[in-house]
Amino acid sequence: GAGVSQTPSNKVTEKGKYVELRCDPISGHTALYWYRQSLGQGPEFLIYFQGTGAADDSGLPNDRFFAVRPEGSVSTLKIQRTERGDSAVYLCASSSLGQETQYFGPGTRLLVL
Amino acid sequence: GIQVEQSPPDLILQEGANSTLRCNFSDSVNNLQWFHQNPWGQLINLFYIPSGTKQNGRLSATTVATERYSLLYISSSQTTDSGVYFCAVDTGGFKTIFGAGTRLFVKA
């Protein structure tokens, strides 16, 4: 009965490093979304999974960003060669059928120094 | 792509007051949701409302899809209502577009 969980809560890294952010959706939810939220703005869509496949990755800003969901449950967002502009809160959400109510995790606050 | 505009951008209320938040969108939508982001950053879904009217306690929402807007009503506001209210839409695909939000502060 747990909600969406995300780890780590906070991540500080240096410019150029590689980071992985994890999302554990609500059990049984087949749809999973990743968003990025910068200070003072609304969440910005990154990628959507239905099951194991990425049905829409049009929001990924460039090829340094990649996400996987190999077993249709947990998802990992991977950022290569991090830049200071990648600093933001990364949010994950899940839903039961993909186009209904989305339930959000607490987010991972990423700071790139 | 679709544009989502929310108004007002900022709102200060005295506890007990009522308010109306508005969301305008530039194209037909398949899905519309209202969220509350509390001061600790947690996003909570308030309504899934692509059309019609729904109520949940002191909150209610109305979406007029043909006129491309949605309204969120908060009655008898409380300090715990403070935070940012977001409207989010999709046009039939999976990409959800959020507005910039309305920042609400309720004074005791």
Side-chain angles (χ1 to χ4, degrees), chain B residues 49-60:
Chain B
I49 186 167
S51 63
T53 297
K54 290 186 177 180
Q55 180 156 6
N56 184 3
R58 296 182 296 103
L59 302 181
S60 63

Side-chain angles (χ1 to χ4, degrees), chain B residues 11 13 16-21 36 46 58-61 71-78 81-82 85 102 104 106:
Chain B
L11 184 60
L13 295 177
N18 303 327
S19 64
T20 302
L21 281 56
H36 175 225
L46 299 175
R58 296 182 296 103
L59 302 181
S60 63
L71 301 174
L72 178 69
Y73 305 95
I74 305 174
S75 64
S76 303
S77 59
Q78 300 176 358
D81 295 333
S82 297
Y85 290 81
T102 292
L104 172 65
V106 181

Side-chain angles (χ1 to χ4, degrees), chain B:
Chain B
I2 191 168
Q3 303 297 312
V4 181
E5 295 183 356
Q6 292 187 242
S7 60
D10 299 280
L11 184 60
I12 299 174
L13 295 177
Q14 189 67 46
E15 194 171 30
N18 303 327
S19 64
T20 302
L21 281 56
R22 186 177 180 103
C23 172
N24 291 334
F25 40 93
S26 61
D27 202 348
S28 300
V29 298
N30 189 63
N31 182 3
L32 187 145
Q33 300 177 75
W34 282 98
F35 292 89
H36 175 225
Q37 188 165 41
N38 67 24
W40 297 271
Q42 179 67 51
L43 273 160
I44 303 295
N45 187 285
L46 299 175
F47 294 102
Y48 166 79
I49 186 167
S51 63
T53 297
K54 290 186 177 180
Q55 180 156 6
N56 184 3
R58 296 182 296 103
L59 302 181
S60 63
T62 295
T63 297
V64 184
T66 54
E67 297 187 21
R68 299 181 183 171
Y69 72 88
S70 183
L71 301 174
L72 178 69
Y73 305 95
I74 305 174
S75 64
S76 303
S77 59
Q78 300 176 358
T79 57
T80 52
D81 295 333
S82 297
V84 185
Y85 290 81
F86 290 106
C87 168
V89 304
D90 74 65
T91 57
F94 306 108
K95 185 171 185 175
T96 302
I97 305 300
F98 279 73
T102 292
R103 285 152 189 77
L104 172 65
F105 179 67
V106 181
K107 299 188 296 183

Side-chain angles (χ1 to χ4, degrees), chain A residues 13-41:
Chain A
T13 191
E14 294 179 344
K15 181 176 177 294
K17 299 289 188 182
Y18 168 82
V19 296
E20 290 189 351
L21 311 179
R22 175 187 167 111
C23 172
D24 205 333
I26 291 172
S27 178
H29 280 190
T30 57
L32 186 146
Y33 302 76
W34 281 101
Y35 296 87
R36 178 170 70 175
Q37 187 175 25
S38 299
L39 195 62
Q41 299 181 18

